[in-house]
Amino acid sequence: MVEQQKQRIELELSQRVDDLDRTILRKMQAEMHECAARCCHDSGSSMDAVQRCVESCSGPVMRAQQHVEKELGGFNNRLQRCVMDCNDTIKDKMGANPSESDISKYTGMFERCAIKCVDKHVDLLPGLFKSIQQTIASKRN
């Protein structure tokens, strides 16, 4: 059951990151390469100046990618903390020597709690990705 939830969250994240890539990041990468090509076509500039120009072109894409990574890292940390809280709560309830039936009962309780964590965090994804898009858009202008 927990494995299914892990796959579910990974699929949701993958779809949203792919959408972000198709709608925003690829365009930024194309602009970066066009900018870098213009730098390289400047035959009057020194090699160092061209290199600085190319590096400057990559700045917006690098910042956008770093922002996405930071936000997704925070999201993953929150999800892990939620699941760990489920784990801690169940451990506290289980006691020192649980019976087989107790273990089965507590495993079910843990799984239900973990599913709630995943449900909650999947519900947070639209807002998270909207915020990511807005931040990237605001830093491009």
Side-chain angles (χ1 to χ4, degrees):
M1 184 74 88
V2 173
E3 189 61 34
Q4 290 172 325
Q5 295 305 310
K6 183 179 176 188
Q7 289 174 349
R8 178 177 162 223
I9 198 89
E10 287 174 358
L11 179 63
E12 289 283 340
L13 280 169
S14 176
Q15 289 172 341
R16 294 199 181 266
V17 168
D18 188 55
D19 183 56
L20 184 67
D21 177 59
R22 282 185 276 106
T23 59
I24 296 176
L25 297 176
R26 275 189 215 172
K27 183 176 185 214
M28 291 179 73
Q29 288 176 332
E31 291 168 356
M32 173 191 72
H33 290 296
E34 291 164 0
C35 176
R38 285 191 300 273
C39 296
C40 293
H41 287 297
D42 183 0
S43 60
S45 292
S46 70
M47 185 171 66
D48 287 341
V50 170
Q51 183 62 35
R52 283 191 304 276
C53 180
V54 169
E55 288 173 6
S56 174
C57 293
S58 68
V61 171
M62 297 296 286
R63 285 188 296 277
Q65 289 172 336
Q66 288 170 348
H67 180 69
V68 171
E69 288 173 14
K70 177 183 158 236
E71 291 296 322
L72 293 180
F75 174 83
N76 283 327
N77 286 340
R78 288 178 64 186
L79 176 58
Q80 287 174 352
R81 284 194 314 266
C82 185
V83 173
M84 288 304 298
D85 186 52
C86 293
N87 190 48
D88 292 344
T89 300
I90 298 304
K91 279 184 179 178
D92 291 343
K93 289 181 180 183
M94 238 168 46
N97 295 312
S99 66
E100 287 298 320
S101 66
D102 284 344
I103 290 174
S104 179
K105 176 179 91 172
Y106 290 125
T107 298
M109 289 172 67
F110 170 77
E111 288 178 352
R112 287 188 296 279
C113 184
I115 288 168
K116 285 181 185 177
C117 289
V118 171
D119 289 343
K120 174 184 170 187
H121 285 79
V122 165
D123 289 345
L124 293 173
L125 287 175
L128 174 66
F129 276 85
K130 183 176 182 182
S131 173
I132 289 171
Q133 290 172 338
Q134 289 172 339
T135 299
I136 290 171
S138 73
K139 290 183 179 181
R140 288 183 72 193
N141 299 330

